[in-house]
């Protein structure tokens, strides 16, 4: 990808027998075999996942046997307690993968001589089982194989090293409590591993509109096109984003222009899509994975959460900046799978920036900022706004970058502050017709522009929050709490919210519109608060 010499590099993943039951294992296996990647899966099979036997993890308790017919995967299986056999199998497997003959799986059986943890007394094992395991202790076999070594001296040397390491670790103390909130996001000091793939750029705070108005689909596609052309480290991938151009047409034509190495399809495999993107980001690429609809991100929740906390967990040693594009929200009709927003879940995932553009201009600025930044970004593309007439704007310029955390006043007034984002912005604008209102489009939810909201509320003395997401636990509750905490004495009316009720998105357009915040419902709440 980067023109570097591969030098036979391979990827290695290590797991136990219980890991073979997880979705992540099968996601990685599917990707590695269908793409013939240089990947080595090493499974150390000790027969137990804490107390659960391997027969509960995989049929027959032998993943090597079960995968023997798996196309594109070469199996190496044997006794992990036999030093000669184990070394031979591992050597053959590594040679196979380094030789670019496809992925391989090594499964070595070993006994688990102690419990899973200090508290695990293994009372779930029979005496006969424990005795049989100790009979397979690999250490006596290793000593017999290398009988010329000074094993007493080696054991004493290792014990001294372990003790010295323990003493050093315990002498370190704990991190400073004052720094416990540091390194959630990039703070100016680059991580040691991962990222740094985005182009360096200064933030251009003002757009320079040119040409005819374009819709959000065209704006996003054009921005991706420019960044793919300018930065060889950018890759776009996901389900149907290749020759088809995406089910929302956002990537139309990009595969033809940049070919399979840069814009490519994946299997229907969200956990694998995000896991793969994290690995790419750690290797110094700028991955742009797409989750086809918002609800489909759920299978990748663990990967998303682990990606966001990586910088904090490793004290800025590792980070995986990437741009996760997620279309969602209502469009013509609704349903519980394609039409939810639930942006608040990503806001509640530490380490993720969250962009929710309402129009083409903001989409360009926020997407370019995301692709040139150093943090993972959830870029939410509202389906109803992709080709909406209101969301169309002139191209804001090839260098336009919009910083996160900067809201925009769609209109200004003195009687009420209306806070919203995404597809609710045009509805709020229509509802506020004839009213002297500050209408604030947040544009990003992590971070969000607290200062603009609070300054406006202190002046208008009223606050209405409108969002498409469900009412209970929605992001509007966070805004309301901040306003109540910091501007309570400035208020002349209660803080109010207009949202979806706590129900799945209805399918029929009539029912969906009855659940969504309508112009009429928003206007009724504006009138109530202004007249309070």
């Amino acid at each position: 990808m980067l023109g570097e010499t591969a030098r036979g590099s391979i990827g290695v993943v290590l797991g136990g027998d219980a890991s073979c039951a997880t979705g992540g294992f099968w996601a990685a296996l599917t990707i590695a075999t269908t793409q013939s990647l240089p990947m080595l899966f090493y499974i150390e099979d000790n027969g137990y996942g804490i107390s659960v036997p391997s027969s509960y993890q995989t049929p027959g308790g032998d993943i090597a046997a079960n995968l023997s017919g798996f196309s594109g995967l070469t199996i190496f299986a044997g006794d992990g307690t036999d030093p000669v056999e184990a070394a031979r199998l591992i050597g053959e497997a590594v040679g196979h993968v380094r030789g670019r003959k496809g992925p391989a799986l090594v499964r070595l059986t070993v006994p688990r001589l102690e419990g899973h943890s200090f508290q695990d007394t293994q009372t779930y094992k029979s005496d006969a089982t424990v005795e049989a395991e100790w009979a397979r202790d690999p250490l006596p076999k290793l000593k017999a194989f290398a009988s010329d070594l000074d094993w007493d001296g080696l054991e004493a040397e290792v014990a001294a090293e372990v003790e010295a390491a323990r003493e050093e670790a315990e002498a370190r103390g704990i991190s400073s409590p004052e720094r416990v909130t540091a390194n959630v996001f990039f703070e100016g000091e680059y991580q040691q591993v991962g990222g740094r793939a985005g182009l360096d750029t200064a933030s251009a705070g003002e757009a320079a509109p040119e040409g005819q108005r374009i819709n959000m689909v065209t704006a996003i596609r054009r921005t991706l096109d420019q960044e793919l052309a300018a930065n060889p480290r950018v890759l776009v991938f996901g389900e149907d984003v290749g020759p088809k151009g995406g089910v929302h047409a956002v990537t139309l034509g990009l595969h033809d222009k940049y070919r399979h190495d840069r814009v490519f399809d994946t299997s229907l495999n969200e956990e694998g899509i995000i896991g793969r993107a994290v690995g790419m980001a750690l290797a110094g690429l700028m991955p742009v994975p797409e989750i086809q609809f918002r609800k489909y991100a759920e299978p990748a929740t663990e990967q998303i959460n682990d990606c966001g906390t990586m910088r904090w967990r490793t004290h800025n040693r590792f980070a995986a900046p990437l741009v996760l594009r997620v279309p969602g929200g209502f469009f013509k009709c609704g349903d519980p799978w394609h039409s939810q927003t639930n942006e608040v879940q990503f806001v509640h995932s530490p380490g993720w920036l969250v962009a929710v553009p309402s129009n083409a201009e903001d989409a360009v600025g926020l997407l370019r900022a995301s692709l040139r930044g150093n943090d993972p970004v959830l870029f939410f593309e509202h389906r109803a706004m992709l080709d909406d007439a209101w969301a169309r704007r002139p191209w804001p310029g090839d260098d336009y970058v919009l910083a996160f955390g900067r809201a925009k006043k769609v209109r200004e007034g003195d009687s009420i502050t209306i806070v919203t984002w995404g597809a609710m912005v045009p509805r709020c604008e229509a509802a506020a017709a004839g009213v002297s209102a500050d209408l604030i489009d947040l544009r990003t939810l992590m971070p969000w522009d607290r200062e603009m909201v609070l300054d406006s509320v202190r002046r208008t003395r009223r606050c209405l929050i409108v969002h498409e997401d469900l009412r209970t636990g929605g992001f509007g509750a966070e805004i309301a709490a901040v306003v109540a905490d910091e501007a309570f004495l400035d208020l002349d009316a209660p803080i109010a919210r207009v949202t979806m009720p706590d129900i799945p998105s209805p399918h029929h357009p009539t029912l969906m519109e009855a659940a969504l915040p309508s112009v009429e419902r928003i206007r009724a709440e504006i009138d109530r608060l202004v007249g309070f």
Side-chain angles (χ1 to χ4, degrees):
M1 278 303 305
L2 302 178
E4 299 169 352
T5 303
R7 298 187 298 275
S9 300
I10 67 174
V12 182
V13 58
L14 301 95
D17 48 287
S19 71
C20 298
T22 66
F25 172 79
W26 293 99
L29 197 64
T30 298
I31 293 172
T33 51
T34 58
Q35 306 300 309
S36 192
L37 300 179
M39 186 80 180
L40 176 60
F41 297 86
Y42 174 86
I43 304 300
E44 186 175 291
D45 190 342
N46 62 31
Y48 284 88
I50 303 183
S51 66
V52 180
S54 58
S55 57
Y56 280 59
Q57 312 293 352
T58 189
D62 186 347
I63 192 64
N66 293 343
L67 291 174
S68 60
F70 207 88
S71 182
L73 182 70
T74 302
I75 305 291
F76 299 85
D79 184 358
T81 71
D82 183 331
V84 176
E85 182 176 0
R88 177 181 61 80
L89 289 170
I90 291 174
E92 290 176 358
V94 170
H96 176 92
V97 180
R98 283 203 197 281
R100 295 301 187 262
K101 298 177 181 179
L105 180 140
V106 176
R107 183 238 183 185
L108 298 179
T109 59
V110 296
R112 198 186 74 193
L113 303 181
E114 301 291 344
H116 176 80
S117 62
F118 180 75
Q119 295 85 2
D120 183 3
T121 60
Q122 304 198 95
T123 55
Y124 43 84
K125 291 182 179 179
S126 68
D127 292 341
T129 298
V130 173
E131 183 178 352
E133 288 184 325
W134 276 101
R136 295 187 64 221
D137 183 354
L139 190 54
K141 297 181 181 181
L142 184 60
K143 288 181 176 180
F145 172 74
S147 58
D148 56 330
L149 294 178
D150 178 8
W151 285 99
D152 291 338
L154 282 172
E155 289 176 3
E157 181 181 341
V158 169
E161 289 180 2
V162 170
E163 178 62 21
R166 182 192 64 80
E167 292 177 354
E168 180 186 354
E170 291 183 350
R172 287 177 182 168
I174 64 171
S175 300
S176 169
E178 289 76 18
R179 294 283 296 164
V180 73
T181 60
N183 294 316
V184 176
F185 295 103
F186 176 58
E187 298 176 356
E189 180 181 348
Y190 281 101
Q191 61 276 5
Q192 297 175 35
V193 177
R196 305 196 70 169
L199 299 176
D200 292 331
T201 182
S203 177
E206 298 298 329
E210 58 185 55
Q212 295 181 330
R213 300 195 325 150
I214 58 175
N215 63 14
M216 195 187 292
V217 165
T218 304
I220 295 171
R221 184 191 304 132
R222 185 170 171 181
T223 306
L224 289 173
D225 187 2
Q226 288 187 339
E227 293 300 304
L228 281 161
N231 186 355
R233 293 173 181 259
V234 173
L235 305 96
V236 176
F237 54 97
E239 299 160 19
D240 302 304
V241 305
K244 178 177 174 59
V247 298
H248 310 284
V250 174
T251 58
L252 195 65
L254 296 182
H255 176 268
D256 292 341
K257 184 174 182 179
Y258 296 100
R259 309 311 301 165
H260 182 74
D261 284 344
R262 303 286 305 283
V263 180
F264 54 90
D265 288 326
T266 67
S267 53
L268 199 157
N269 187 343
E270 286 81 12
E271 186 173 7
I273 291 171
I274 304 305
R276 189 179 189 178
V278 172
M280 290 175 172
L282 287 171
L285 298 171
M286 174 51 77
V288 187
E290 177 186 295
I291 297 294
Q292 202 166 85
F293 292 94
R294 166 64 188 89
K295 182 65 174 66
Y296 299 169
E298 306 304 332
T301 298
E302 182 177 16
Q303 299 280 5
I304 291 170
N305 289 342
D306 287 348
C307 175
T309 61
M310 186 181 297
R311 187 190 300 275
W312 182 88
R313 285 185 284 117
T314 64
H315 195 56
N316 204 37
R317 287 184 62 204
F318 294 85
L322 57 91
V323 181
L324 173 54
R325 295 179 40 250
V326 181
F330 73 90
F331 179 57
K332 294 184 179 178
C333 61
D335 66 61
W337 302 279
H338 301 82
S339 301
Q340 74 165 229
T341 54
N342 195 18
E343 319 96 320
V344 73
Q345 179 175 322
F346 296 103
V347 176
H348 211 252
S349 297
W352 281 88
L353 300 176
V354 179
V356 285
S358 66
N359 60 78
E361 178 182 296
D362 291 349
V364 171
L366 290 171
L367 182 56
R368 188 173 285 122
S370 303
L371 291 167
R372 299 186 178 191
N374 196 36
D375 285 301
V377 177
L378 184 283
F379 190 82
F380 192 84
E381 300 170 5
H382 200 291
R383 296 196 300 146
M385 308 309 288
L386 289 175
D387 192 34
D388 185 78
W390 182 93
R392 296 177 183 181
R393 301 287 190 277
W395 177 252
D398 294 344
D399 299 319
Y400 180 52
V401 177
L402 177 57
F404 276 63
R406 290 180 52 190
K408 179 180 181 179
K409 286 190 179 182
V410 178
R411 56 183 296 174
E412 297 188 47
D414 302 317
S415 299
I416 188 172
T417 297
I418 306 170
V419 185
T420 189
W421 57 89
M424 293 297 105
V425 178
R427 294 193 177 204
C428 288
E429 185 175 43
V435 178
S436 180
D438 256 8
L439 175 53
I440 297 176
D441 179 357
L442 285 183
R443 304 198 286 198
T444 67
L445 301 185
M446 178 55 70
W448 64 284
D449 198 338
R450 297 160 54 107
E451 290 71 24
M452 179 180 287
V453 171
L454 290 171
D455 287 347
S456 176
V457 169
R458 288 173 179 136
R459 182 170 49 80
T460 69
R461 311 183 79 83
R462 290 168 176 81
C463 182
L464 173 62
I465 305 157
V466 181
H467 62 69
E468 181 182 339
D469 199 4
L470 309 186
R471 185 177 185 85
T472 302
F475 192 67
E478 171 66 18
I479 299 170
V482 170
V483 172
D485 283 345
E486 302 190 28
F488 179 77
L489 296 179
D490 297 294
L491 293 170
D492 285 342
I495 304 167
R497 289 175 290 163
V498 178
T499 71
M500 279 268 289
D502 295 339
I503 62 171
S505 179
H507 176 70
H508 194 280
T510 300
L511 299 178
M512 181 192 72
E513 285 295 343
L516 288 169
S518 64
V519 172
E520 293 74 22
R521 283 176 57 204
I522 299 168
R523 180 53 184 252
E525 200 63 9
I526 291 173
D527 291 342
R528 184 182 75 86
L529 294 179
V530 171
F532 189 86

